[in-house]
């Protein structure tokens, strides 16, 4: 699949599911929720905003900061962070339909002049170098393959290019458990080590372009792109309730959703929700905070050509 085909596939998926997902979840945010437990009375919308706020706190956002939201989707996290922290936000998403939805959301925000959205590819951001103090990537790189030129490494390198030296990046995403990583199994101390030759569990076959890595692989790619890792938080004990909660909400509203969106649309999304609910019981979920290292030359960072780090999982 070419890079453009990859973006079209992901875009079609999100555009086709966005309105139905909004009806089920009550939010435009299509990422996990932060639940304190299975009995947490928070709505999905409240829990999704909790996760956004958690990332915002790690970025230490304030009124003097320019935030780049990479993979901004329909704009819910960007608008929330702009309104609550006073920062300015530029969101970039590869799906024109999601960018249009984000612009509509921003138009009704408390400070629309501080929020903008652009159409663009995370691997080739249409933005200048050194333009931002902070950057956010929520469930973005899990859609990108582990290749240098057209995958996760390129996206991290672009985030580094657009950040000022010392700027902070928050990466919020799903990760494989060490023993589920393709081609590895857990070593005696729990580190990814010995090659096995088997493929990782196909956790979400019905979601296009899901390419999960282990936590240590993401950290390796971030360091290679020019980041210093500051903090790594495992959030799966909070986000693992997201899939089951979504499935229950969907099942309880299924007759009404069928009336509103049609039988075929509802039946297409049902297996996706089942897969996501099952995956949430097994996959990890991390929030990584990293700092863009100063450039040795002291000059501006040009658009890089990431070096190929290979596809294996390194030992921690």
């Amino acid at each position: 699949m070419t890079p453009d085909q990859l973006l079209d596939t992901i875009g079609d998926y999100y555009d086709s599911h966005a309105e139905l997902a909004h009806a089920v979840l009550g939010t435009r945010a299509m990422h996990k929720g932060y639940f304190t437990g299975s009995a947490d009375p928070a709505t999905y919308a409240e829990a999704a905003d909790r996760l956004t706020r958690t990332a915002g706190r790690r970025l230490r956002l304030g009124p003097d900061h320019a935030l780049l939201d990479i993979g901004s989707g329909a704009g819910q996290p960007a608008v929330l962070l702009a309104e609550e922290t006073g920062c300015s936000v530029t969101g970039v998403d590869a799906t024109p339909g999601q960018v249009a939805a984000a612009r509509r959301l921003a138009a009704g925000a408390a400070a629309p002049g501080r929020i903008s959205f652009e159409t663009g590819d995370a691997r080739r951001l249409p933005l200048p170098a050194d333009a931002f103090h902070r950057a956010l990537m929520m469930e973005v790189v899990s859609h990108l393959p582990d290749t240098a030129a057209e995958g996760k490494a390129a996206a991290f390198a672009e985030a580094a290019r657009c950040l000022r030296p010392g700027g902070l990046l928050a990466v919020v995403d799903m990760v494989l458990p060490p023993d589920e990583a393709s081609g590895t199994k857990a070593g005696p101390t729990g580190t990814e080590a010995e090659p096995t030759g088997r493929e990782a569990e196909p956790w979400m076959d019905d979601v296009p372009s899901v390419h999960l890595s282990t936590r240590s692989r993401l950290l390796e790619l971030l360091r290679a792109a020019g980041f210093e890792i500051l903090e790594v938080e495992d959030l799966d004990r909070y986000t693992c309730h997201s899939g089951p909660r979504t499935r229950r909400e969907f099942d309880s509203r299924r007759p009404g959703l069928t009336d509103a969106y049609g039988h075929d649309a509802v039946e297409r999304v049902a297996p996706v929700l089942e897969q996501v609910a099952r995956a949430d019981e097994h996959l990890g979920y991390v929030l990584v905070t990293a700092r863009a290292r100063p450039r040795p030359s002291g000059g501006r960072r040009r658009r890089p050509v990431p070096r190929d780090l290979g596809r294996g999982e390194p030992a921690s």
Side-chain angles (χ1 to χ4, degrees):
M1 185 180 292
T2 68
D4 288 342
Q5 289 172 330
L6 173 65
L7 293 183
D8 288 344
T9 299
I10 297 171
D12 290 345
Y13 171 80
Y14 278 104
D15 280 347
S16 64
H17 289 82
E19 290 307 316
L20 199 154
H22 183 213
V24 173
L25 303 176
T27 177
R28 296 286 179 186
M30 294 183 71
H31 58 71
K32 304 288 184 192
Y34 187 112
F35 294 95
T36 58
S38 59
D40 188 340
T43 66
Y44 198 101
E46 291 167 341
D49 285 349
R50 275 183 195 161
L51 184 61
T52 297
R53 291 188 180 101
T54 299
R57 286 193 294 271
R58 300 303 178 269
L59 289 173
R60 306 169 209 163
L61 287 168
D64 295 332
H65 293 141
L67 170 66
L68 171 59
D69 185 1
I70 303 171
S72 50
Q76 176 68 21
V79 171
L80 176 72
L81 293 173
E83 290 185 332
E84 294 191 356
T85 72
C87 71
S88 62
V89 186
T90 299
V92 178
D93 197 89
T95 309
Q98 295 291 287
V99 172
R103 288 172 175 168
R104 291 193 295 270
L105 186 66
R114 290 190 281 104
I115 311 167
S116 63
F117 294 96
E118 305 293 336
T119 302
D121 185 341
R123 300 161 298 183
R124 293 180 292 275
L125 291 169
L127 299 166
D130 299 343
F132 296 91
H133 306 94
R134 304 287 188 264
L136 174 64
M137 303 176 80
M138 294 191 75
E139 298 186 16
V140 174
V141 293
S142 53
H143 286 297
L144 299 175
D146 191 352
T147 59
E150 299 295 348
K152 302 180 197 297
F156 287 147
E158 278 290 87
R161 181 183 67 82
C162 290
L163 278 171
R164 296 182 181 183
L168 300 182
L169 167 68
V171 177
V172 188
D173 221 318
M174 299 170 286
V175 292
L176 287 171
D179 61 347
E180 289 292 340
S182 178
T184 66
K185 69 178 182 181
T189 62
T191 59
E192 297 98 313
E194 303 170 34
T196 66
R198 68 180 178 83
E199 291 300 311
E201 174 79 19
W203 289 111
M204 288 179 278
D205 275 354
D206 288 327
V207 181
S209 187
V210 174
H211 302 274
L212 302 179
S213 299
T214 59
R215 181 173 76 165
S216 64
R217 178 59 173 170
L218 289 185
L219 300 185
E220 180 195 27
L221 291 169
L222 282 165
R223 292 186 183 104
F227 286 99
E228 172 193 359
I229 306 301
L230 300 179
E231 187 175 12
V232 183
E233 299 175 76
D234 291 309
L235 300 182
D236 42 284
R237 66 185 180 277
Y238 304 113
T239 60
C240 66
H241 307 288
S242 301
R245 178 72 67 94
T246 303
R247 183 177 55 190
R248 289 197 299 271
E249 291 287 340
F250 174 80
D251 288 342
S252 69
R253 302 180 187 183
R254 195 161 183 160
L257 294 170
T258 300
D259 291 341
Y261 297 97
H263 177 270
D264 290 347
V266 170
E267 292 306 310
R268 280 197 304 271
V269 79
V272 175
L273 298 183
E274 185 63 36
Q275 285 186 357
V276 171
R278 181 170 62 91
D280 278 354
E281 298 175 2
H282 300 278
L283 297 176
Y285 200 88
V286 297
L287 195 169
V288 181
T289 311
R291 178 187 290 123
R293 291 195 296 262
R295 267 75 85 182
S297 64
R300 287 185 174 272
R301 187 187 298 271
R302 297 183 178 181
R303 192 179 301 277
V305 179
R307 64 189 180 89
D308 192 347
L309 296 176
R311 295 181 60 84
E313 300 293 335
S316 297

